[in-house]
Amino acid sequence: QVQLVESGGGSVQAGGSLRLSCAASGVDYSTYCKGWFRQAPGKEREAVAAIYTGGGFTTYADSVKGRFTISQDNGKNTMYLQMNSLKPEDTAMYYCAADLGSWAWMRCWRRREADFAYWGQGTQVTVSS
């Protein structure tokens, strides 16, 4: 059974950094599309970043490009989101997700929520001004 568990959220001042982790079990993380999403109160869930390591591919939302870095450690079956230069507008619940479909490698670029069938429970990130 596939499970994803996020950790690393917390409260930080604007300009600070946080590193989120997403540990996977019940699946080999290494060859599929993995993504980070976030949702602030009153807003729709937003795709932040996605990664397909087998193809050396990463993609980011314009709002986080240059500040956030998505990566994974295949040995630990874990992926990460390094968040630097955090802004108050980054405040949200952050979710990790996985697209385990046969064509995940081809569609990972679009960061489409409906493609991701497996989700973690979320970890809260709060950035104060």
Side-chain angles (χ1 to χ4, degrees), residues 44-60:
E44 294 184 354
R45 191 148 53 187
E46 172 190 22
V48 176
I51 183 170
Y52 182 76
T53 304
F57 173 80
T58 59
T59 179
Y60 298 90

Side-chain angles (χ1 to χ4, degrees), residues 40-73:
K43 295 185 177 181
E44 294 184 354
R45 191 148 53 187
E46 172 190 22
V48 176
I51 183 170
Y52 182 76
T53 304
F57 173 80
T58 59
T59 179
Y60 298 90
D62 288 342
S63 60
V64 307
K65 198 170 297 181
R67 300 188 297 119
F68 291 11
T69 303
I70 188 171
S71 63
Q72 68 181 51
D73 184 333

Side-chain angles (χ1 to χ4, degrees), residues 99-126:
D99 179 358
L100 306 184
S102 297
W103 308 110
W105 62 272
M106 190 167 60
R107 65 192 181 207
C108 197
W109 63 271
R110 66 188 185 183
R111 305 190 309 274
R112 183 182 173 190
E113 182 176 339
D115 293 338
F116 294 81
Y118 299 93
W119 295 80
Q121 83 289 349
T123 185
Q124 179 68 37
V125 172
T126 302

